Amino acid sequence: MVEFAMHNAWLVPLLPALSFLIIIFLTKPWKKLSALVCVAGMVLSCVIATLAAYGVFTNHEFTEKPLVYSVRWFSMAGLNIDVGVQLDPTSAMMMFMVTLVASLIFIYATGYMEGDPGYSVFFSYLSLFGASMLLLVVSSNLLQMFVAWELVGLCSYLLIGFYSHKISAREAAKKAFITCRVADFGLLLGLLSLQIVFGTLNLTELAEKISHFEQYTTMGILTLIALLVFAGPIGKSGQFPLHVWLPDAMEGPTPVSALIHAATMVVAGVYLVGRTLFLFHEVPTAMELVAVTGGFTALFAASIAITQREIKRILAYSTVSQIGYMMLALGLGSLTASMFHLWTHAFFKALMFLCAGSVLHALHHKADVWEMGGLIKKMPITGWTFVVGGLAIAGVPPFAGFWSKDEILLAAFDTGHYVLFGMAALTAFMTAFYMWRLIFLALFGDEKPENHPHESPLNMTLPLIALAVLSAVGGLVGTPWAPFWQEWIFFGHPHHADPNYLIMIGSVVLALAGIYLAYNLYCADKTRAKAHALAERYRFFWTVSYNKYYIDEIYLWFNHTFIDGAARLFYLFDIYVVDGVFVNGIAAITRLSGEGLRVTQTGRLQNYALVFFLGVLAVAVVLAFTDPSTAAGLTGGVK
Amino acid sequence: MLTLSVSLHHYLILAAVLFGIGLFGVLTKRNAVAVLICIELMLNAININLLAFNKYITPNDFIGQIFSIFVITVAAAEVGVGLAIVIAIYRNKLSVNLDEFDWLKW
Amino acid sequence: MIDFTLTLLNSISWVAVAFHTLAAVVCISALLVVLVRNIVHAVLWLAVCFVSLAGVFMTLDAAFIAAVQILVYAGAVCIMVVFAIMLIRRGNMGETNLFNKQVWAGGGVAVLVTVLGGFLSFRIRYAGSAPAVPENTVDHIATLLLSKYVIPFEVAALLLLVALVGAIFLAKEVKADADS
């Protein structure tokens, strides 16, 4: 079984793809059947992925030499592109995580989407997304990965705009697609440069060649390539300054937010950088950039999340912030910490999104946390699983987030990046604060009489419980005392850091301080007067944060001023130069010359004969008074 | 003494002159019938050429003579059709003055 | 004196004399065809031109062609042209053969063509004196026309037929009710 799964890992992306086709072409009219096909495809693929991951994680060979099955996709002179499946601990972990979370979310979605007119279509999109994401995960070739990358982007677009009757959903879908397109252009250029310079896009061959890149290219060009490649993750993983699409993407149905915009797709950028870490590793500048981008994004997004009011928007900024953490870890060269945080984050963020979905489901899509309150009494399962998620993300031991966040802080500290360490620590404090602000506002406190919440059905609460369990214990695979994770997923050599109790205790203190502050401001004080007073006192900061640093407005202004201005300029150019000078000008020349030449067309036969004989004379003279070869040249080969 | 002699060149020059006169007529006469007549002159100039070459270059092949027979045949046909056209035009326009006809115009 | 005259007469190439005389007649009559103002006179000069051309053909040892020339051109063509002129006759025949506006340009082109043709004819090199011409050229032409050149011959016959039919069709009186 395990052998079979390992050698046939291509089935993992194939099964959801088949579900997609079956739903689209066969079962679309039957909603329940469509959902069943979708869930069955993903669960089966989860079984295979689990078996394959088990195989990988019991054989240490694969940490050195990945298992690659590939076939030639197309080839021409100087360009050979393979398509294949690459199994190593990182991809096996990712495959397992994606199929597991996706299976749970698909099950959840069967309840959440109940009664939606586009039920079957929704599940077909989900299947397509699952297939694309898994294809991305198992890719052995960067071009293949790029194709999958674009496919998940497409699914993201389709699913954000799923409620296409809402203008905001359509706008958000377009925004996501276009923003990612900007970034993907950079990624594409980077991949093309890699192909040109190294002549291959296969991950294993590239890793081999880049380790002695001096034979192929210079440091400068490699830096450029790394920066271009990094453009893709900046867009896809919502890093500053291209994070703007991610909060708007919450217009999509909540399972989509949980699956695509929290657990899987948005971390594809992190995964890509992780897969190509051999490239970034050679370029210290790029590594610095990745680390600084990640660190800054983490802090930046956390500072926005503090003042937001919509439940999913808070979670979205939290996602941006947590992905910033992962990028930071990658930039510090720690694939271990980054992937670890990716792993734990997938569980607790998916959990919290699903809880938020459950809440929205109960409150008929009333999203403002200030209008919630006391939900935990009416919705105990949702509420308490949310609390587990909150503990995990805040970094309270022994929940999952604590271990992975600790790993990142340790990596920053050990590599001597004290500023980044400080930023990460501050972010940890803020994360605990804003997440517990959300929890206290929504779940505790007084119930609002106008709300009539009710607990969600079983097919929604079961995935919540499963994810809550995973959020609670998912981090235990990589504790400092039992560093199972660190032995399997690493870049270069496994890194065993001694447990640093100072940092550990420090981060716990920060988390608890954040939670306590949130408790003080939003739970203990029923009137929330202190919170309002604080907002009033730091009015400027509050406004800036609440308006997300006006990034959207700046982009809009930029768009209106420069792009529209350039468009106006080009419009004038088009009207007066292209149309005026070229099109109409050429037409006018033609017409004028035609009118001039028309006079020569007298219609009199003898006139024509005269001209004809002049021509005969000319040809005869040429033929008679030049030597034969010249004459032949002049008359076009006539001898 | 009189040195009258005759050679191929004499015939060719005669042909050239006759051709030139015919061409002049074709280009400058107003009357369509006159133009047809002048075309006959040009064709006859060609016949002179053909026969002269026949005699001076290849007297035993008779190519020139046979060609000129064909030229005469075609010329006869051409005159017949040409005059028929002139008559048809005259019937429509009551004129054979080529200056009045610019039907080849756009 | 008589001896001298005889010597002189013997030394004259009568063919050359005939050629030069006929050539002069051809050129003058052709010019008159172009220059006279009455189209009927022009046709008469044309007949003169064709007859003298038949003489020129005789000097080229082409007796058969000369005969055809007189039959077809001087006979048939001229008569046909005169008939045509009769059919399209107008009041003042003295003004029927005038020049158009491009007389100078046309003259220039014609002169240039003539000069070029004459000039080029001097480039021809051939074996000095004329080779012997076989007796009885008509026999040979007849044999060739019905053997080697039989297909062009038949095609020419077809052409004449077509021309005949076409000419009749074109010149046919149009019915009064047919053209409206």
Side-chain angles (χ1 to χ4, degrees):
Chain A
M1 279 299 276
V2 172
E3 283 294 305
F4 173 83
M6 282 173 68
H7 296 298
N8 293 284
W10 50 274
L11 282 172
V12 174
L14 187 70
L15 289 172
L18 283 179
S19 315
F20 166 68
L21 293 177
I22 291 171
I23 294 172
I24 281 291
F25 289 114
L26 298 176
T27 67
K28 204 173 146 201
W30 302 283
K31 293 182 170 188
K32 285 290 163 197
L33 190 62
S34 300
L36 184 70
V37 169
C38 174
V39 173
M42 190 44 83
V43 168
L44 261 179
S45 132
C46 180
V47 170
I48 297 173
T50 311
L51 290 171
Y54 176 79
V56 171
F57 282 104
T58 46
N59 189 342
H60 256 292
E61 259 179 51
F62 296 126
T63 56
E64 298 294 329
K65 198 177 167 307
L67 182 70
V68 180
Y69 283 107
S70 66
V71 290
R72 184 56 46 88
W73 181 8
F74 58 86
S75 72
M76 57 182 96
L79 178 65
N80 294 313
I81 298 296
D82 292 343
V83 57
V85 172
Q86 176 168 351
L87 272 191
D88 52 29
T90 311
S91 64
M93 175 280 290
M94 194 74 180
M95 203 165 76
F96 173 65
M97 183 279 277
V98 170
T99 52
L100 183 61
V101 173
S103 300
L104 292 172
I105 292 174
F106 285 9
I107 294 167
Y108 175 91
T110 58
Y112 184 84
M113 296 305 286
E114 192 73 65
D116 194 283
Y119 198 79
S120 300
V121 177
F122 180 77
F123 279 98
S124 74
Y125 288 167
L126 277 188
S127 286
L128 179 62
F129 170 76
S132 316
M133 186 68 208
L134 288 165
L135 183 70
L136 191 154
V137 168
V138 299
S139 286
S140 69
N141 181 292
L142 281 176
L143 191 71
Q144 182 191 354
M145 204 183 242
F146 184 76
V147 172
W149 180 276
E150 294 298 338
L151 272 173
V152 292
L154 168 73
C155 297
S156 163
Y157 166 80
L158 290 173
L159 287 165
I160 294 170
F162 187 73
Y163 296 132
S164 52
H165 53 90
K166 277 163 60 182
I167 291 176
S168 57
R170 294 204 294 268
E171 293 296 317
K174 276 194 287 183
K175 188 173 180 181
F177 200 70
I178 292 168
T179 311
C180 287
R181 213 76 307 92
V182 173
D184 293 350
F185 184 63
L187 174 61
L188 185 60
L189 287 182
L191 294 188
L192 291 178
S193 317
L194 277 178
Q195 169 69 38
I196 290 165
V197 172
F198 296 101
T200 179
L201 286 174
N202 287 352
L203 285 168
T204 43
E205 288 175 37
L206 263 183
E208 163 65 21
K209 285 185 172 174
I210 287 181
S211 61
H212 41 82
F213 67 89
E214 294 88 350
Q215 292 174 9
Y216 298 94
T217 183
T218 59
M219 190 65 192
I221 290 180
L222 199 69
T223 311
L224 182 67
I225 292 174
L227 294 182
L228 282 172
V229 170
F230 186 53
I234 286 184
K236 189 71 85 191
S237 291
Q239 297 298 288
F240 181 85
L242 295 182
H243 63 279
V244 287
W245 69 272
L246 190 51
D248 286 12
M250 299 306 139
E251 287 292 342
T254 306
V256 170
S257 307
L259 179 63
I260 302 186
H261 305 117
T264 57
M265 188 195 83
V266 289
V267 297
V270 178
Y271 183 69
L272 178 75
V273 176
R275 291 302 252 182
T276 55
L277 202 59
F278 49 78
L279 166 64
F280 290 91
H281 188 73
E282 298 292 337
V283 188
T285 326
M287 285 297 258
E288 290 296 325
L289 183 75
V290 174
V292 170
T293 306
F296 177 75
T297 307
L299 188 61
F300 173 82
S303 70
I304 295 176
I306 283 179
T307 54
Q308 297 304 306
R309 297 173 67 108
E310 276 177 51
I311 181 162
K312 280 173 75 179
R313 211 163 261 275
I314 298 173
L315 292 174
Y317 278 106
S318 162
T319 307
V320 174
S321 169
Q322 297 299 311
I323 296 170
Y325 260 124
M326 300 174 206
M327 282 292 178
L328 168 65
L330 281 175
L332 300 171
S334 175
L335 184 68
T336 313
S338 173
M339 289 297 134
F340 195 17
H341 198 59
L342 190 158
W343 161 263
T344 56
H345 173 255
F347 296 136
F348 59 69
K349 189 51 64 66
L351 167 63
M352 290 204 287
F353 264 111
L354 294 189
C355 290
S358 182
V359 168
L360 291 174
H361 196 62
L363 295 184
H364 306 290
H365 295 269
K366 186 194 277 184
D368 192 340
V369 288
W370 287 87
E371 292 174 17
M372 302 173 187
L375 295 176
I376 203 159
K377 286 173 200 141
K378 291 280 171 57
M379 307 175 70
I381 301 176
T382 306
W384 286 113
T385 51
F386 205 134
V387 168
V388 171
L391 288 171
I393 196 173
V396 176
F399 294 97
F402 168 74
W403 306 107
S404 56
K405 201 174 281 183
D406 196 54
E407 194 76 30
I408 293 171
L409 290 173
L410 197 60
F413 192 77
D414 281 355
T415 51
H417 292 85
Y418 297 113
V419 177
L420 289 174
F421 173 79
M423 284 163 83
L426 184 58
T427 308
F429 168 74
M430 281 157 75
T431 305
F433 173 72
Y434 69 69
M435 204 45 82
W436 280 87
R437 164 178 173 268
L438 164 63
I439 289 171
F440 285 131
L441 281 174
L443 301 178
F444 297 95
D446 294 331
E447 285 181 58
K448 295 281 191 296
E450 69 271 22
N451 294 337
H452 305 289
H454 56 86
E455 186 56 282
S456 299
L458 200 63
N459 53 2
M460 288 170 73
T461 48
L462 272 183
L464 291 182
I465 295 166
L467 282 170
V469 171
L470 285 166
S471 303
V473 303
L476 297 180
V477 295
T479 62
W481 300 283
F484 176 78
W485 185 277
Q486 288 82 342
E487 280 171 19
W488 286 91
I489 293 173
F490 54 84
F491 177 79
H493 304 286
H495 176 69
H496 288 285
D498 292 325
N500 188 326
Y501 294 102
L502 193 68
I503 289 177
M504 236 182 258
I505 293 166
S507 80
V508 174
V509 167
L510 280 174
L512 292 177
I515 295 170
Y516 178 72
L517 185 62
Y519 174 78
N520 250 348
L521 287 178
Y522 299 105
C523 191
D525 177 13
K526 297 281 186 209
T527 59
R528 280 132 198 186
K530 271 195 281 187
H532 291 302
L534 209 59
E536 204 52 51
R537 196 159 150 203
Y538 299 103
R539 182 101 217 141
F540 173 75
F541 296 104
W542 187 87
T543 317
V544 168
S545 164
Y546 186 73
N547 289 302
K548 308 149 217 162
Y549 293 88
Y550 298 100
I551 298 276
D552 279 327
E553 283 75 8
I554 290 170
Y555 283 173
L556 216 57
W557 173 82
F558 182 84
N559 202 354
H560 279 305
T561 314
F562 291 100
I563 299 186
D564 291 358
R568 267 192 289 280
L569 210 64
F570 287 132
Y571 171 75
L572 293 179
F573 182 81
D574 185 52
I575 290 296
Y576 290 106
V577 179
V578 176
D579 276 7
V581 174
F582 289 110
V583 179
N584 291 340
I586 289 170
I589 289 169
T590 313
R591 202 184 66 233
L592 288 176
S593 54
E595 280 180 359
L597 286 172
R598 202 177 68 168
V599 178
T600 66
Q601 198 193 358
T602 56
R604 289 177 211 289
L605 198 65
Q606 287 161 309
N607 230 307
Y608 293 172
L610 183 71
V611 177
F612 172 78
F613 270 95
L614 277 174
V616 170
L617 262 177
V619 172
V621 166
V622 166
L623 288 175
F625 297 99
T626 52
D627 65 303
S629 60
T630 321
L634 284 170
T635 53
V638 178
K639 295 213 171 57
Chain B
M1 289 300 291
L2 285 171
T3 52
L4 276 180
S5 65
V6 62
S7 68
L8 177 58
H9 296 142
H10 288 87
Y11 288 100
L12 295 183
I13 288 172
L14 172 63
V17 170
L18 191 57
F19 187 84
I21 292 169
L23 177 60
F24 175 62
V26 168
L27 294 181
T28 57
K29 300 312 281 189
R30 268 191 205 171
N31 193 324
V33 177
V35 169
L36 280 174
I37 292 171
C38 291
I39 290 173
E40 297 307 313
L41 288 179
M42 291 166 80
L43 286 165
N44 270 290
I46 302 306
N47 273 349
I48 296 175
N49 264 4
L50 289 170
L51 292 171
F53 280 122
N54 185 67
K55 178 181 178 185
Y56 285 94
I57 313 273
T58 59
N60 296 309
D61 289 357
F62 296 100
I63 294 178
Q65 296 212 12
I66 289 181
F67 252 89
S68 59
I69 288 172
F70 285 124
V71 170
I72 290 168
T73 314
V74 173
E78 174 249 318
V79 168
V81 176
L83 287 173
I85 291 173
V86 168
I87 289 169
I89 289 174
Y90 179 77
R91 189 178 297 140
N92 276 339
K93 293 271 171 180
L94 290 179
S95 168
V96 288
N97 188 349
L98 289 175
D99 278 359
E100 293 171 16
F101 304 142
D102 55 358
W103 298 334
L104 287 174
K105 209 171 180 177
W106 57 96
Chain C
M1 181 65 199
I2 293 168
D3 286 350
F4 172 75
T5 313
L6 283 175
T7 324
L8 190 67
L9 289 174
N10 284 336
S11 71
I12 293 171
S13 162
W14 292 108
V15 173
V17 171
F19 168 75
H20 284 283
T21 316
L22 290 167
V25 174
V26 166
C27 291
I28 290 165
S29 57
L31 269 175
L32 285 170
V33 168
V34 175
L35 295 177
V36 291
R37 299 169 72 88
N38 187 327
I39 189 77
V40 179
H41 295 175
V43 179
L44 290 179
W45 283 116
L46 183 72
V48 172
C49 181
F50 284 159
V51 172
S52 29
L53 267 170
V56 171
F57 293 167
M58 290 295 284
T59 68
L60 284 165
D61 297 319
F64 179 64
I65 309 294
V68 173
Q69 173 82 8
I70 288 180
L71 278 175
V72 175
Y73 273 116
V77 169
C78 285
I79 297 295
M80 202 152 60
V81 171
V82 171
F83 262 104
I85 290 167
M86 192 189 76
L87 284 172
I88 60 175
R89 189 180 54 191
R90 286 183 300 182
N92 185 3
M93 291 305 284
E95 299 292 325
T96 44
N97 193 22
L98 303 176
F99 288 111
N100 62 13
K101 285 173 208 147
Q102 57 176 15
V103 57
W104 293 110
V109 169
V111 168
L112 280 175
V113 169
T114 309
V115 167
L116 186 74
F119 177 81
L120 289 180
S121 64
F122 278 103
R123 284 201 177 177
I124 292 164
R125 296 279 169 269
Y126 69 104
S129 59
V133 177
E135 295 284 316
N136 248 338
T137 57
V138 182
D139 275 3
H140 288 99
I141 293 171
T143 313
L144 280 170
L145 268 181
L146 291 177
S147 58
K148 192 176 177 187
Y149 295 106
V150 67
I151 292 178
F153 182 69
E154 294 298 331
V155 171
L158 198 64
L159 174 74
L160 280 173
L161 178 66
V162 170
L164 194 68
V165 174
I168 291 170
F169 181 78
L170 280 169
K172 200 178 59 175
E173 187 98 27
V174 180
K175 292 254 164 53
D177 58 305
D179 56 7
S180 66

